[in-house]
Each structure stands twice: as structure tokens, then as C-alpha cells.
Amino acid sequence: MRLTKFTDLALRAVMRLAVVDEGMSVTSREVAEAMDVPYSHMTKAISRLQHLGVVEARRGRSGGLVLTPLGRRASVGWLVRELEGDTEVVACEGDPPCPLRAACRLRGALREAQEAFFAALDPLVIADLVAPPTGPVLVGLAVRRPE
């Protein structure tokens, strides 16, 4: 199973936000710079995370992005399922459709493997992903604001 770049960016954004000190926030631009990815790509991922209720964007002088309580307690498996969507591993109904689709056992086996992949992520929450040694590295990637 291979995750899309979009899901990878969204997971990195959530991980970065998970190590922000309480009462602080960061901007989408700061997250993109810390992760060394294009700002436009990161904003699309963050927008989806907002839609899912995982990230909150606050406006104003002290505004920025914060991880919501849902974002802190949600299963990584749930988040990946939501970001990836309910797509099949193989496109049996493509153009042209696969001639084996009516009697194929591969499709079911691949779907079962995909569910096993997600199930392995279900017990994890974002806090698990940012435990040492990852968390300190994420903090070190932070873009420092001028004082």
C-alpha cells in the first residue's frame, strides 16, 4: 500500500502541530517551510484537515493553526482512511475494464490487505507518532519568528 503525497503532507502537518507548545500556534506557511514543501500543497492538506475537524485555524494577531482535541485523540488509521478515501487498490472497472473482474480473487485479497494496513494504524494516535525521537526533531524544524 502506498499513501498519496497529499496524505503524507497532511500527516506531517498534524505531527508538526502536535509539538507546538500549549497556547502557541503556527501558520500554514511556517508548517510548509518546516516540512520543506510547497506552501500551496500544504494549504490544501491543511484545508482538508480543517474540514475533518482535526485542525483549527484562528484569525487575527495571535492567529494560526492549532490541533483540535479530535486531532489529538483521533486514530491514525481513521485519519489515513479519511484522507485516502475509500478507493480500491486496483482499478478493475477502468477503461478498458479488466476481463477478470467477474471471477477475480485478487481484488478481494488486495482489499483485505488494505484493511490490514489501516488496522495496523488504528491503535496509534498522533501523540504516538511524535514521541521521541521524532518530537524533538519536529521542534527543531520549527521556523523561528523574528523577535
Side-chain angles (χ1 to χ4, degrees), residues 13-27 30-31 56 58 62-68 72 130 135-136 138-140 142-145 147:
V14 170
M15 290 170 64
R16 175 63 188 99
L17 293 173
V19 298
V20 173
D21 291 334
E22 187 77 27
M24 299 291 291
S25 62
V26 296
T27 66
E30 290 169 333
V31 173
E56 180 184 340
R58 297 178 179 161
S62 61
L65 303 171
V66 293
L67 205 55
T68 65
R72 294 194 181 281
V130 299
L138 284 163
V139 171
V143 176
R144 305 287 182 226
R145 292 180 178 167
E147 300 197 28

Side-chain angles (χ1 to χ4, degrees), residues 26-110:
V26 296
T27 66
S28 298
R29 188 165 305 282
E30 290 169 333
V31 173
E33 288 174 4
M35 294 293 119
D36 196 26
V37 298
Y39 171 71
S40 60
H41 294 177
M42 185 57 78
T43 57
K44 289 176 188 171
I46 289 171
S47 177
R48 179 73 172 123
L49 292 168
Q50 285 178 266
H51 178 75
L52 292 172
V54 173
V55 171
E56 180 184 340
R58 297 178 179 161
R59 297 196 180 275
R61 179 166 161 69
S62 61
L65 303 171
V66 293
L67 205 55
T68 65
L70 171 63
R72 294 194 181 281
R73 73 175 185 274
S75 156
V76 175
W78 169 81
L79 185 54
V80 171
R81 279 183 190 90
E82 291 295 316
L83 293 167
E84 288 290 309
D86 191 26
T87 59
E88 294 286 333
V89 176
V90 293
C92 301
E93 304 301 327
D95 186 28
C98 176
L100 301 175
R101 70 186 179 282
C104 184
R105 297 183 62 172
L106 177 61
R107 185 180 195 177
L110 290 173

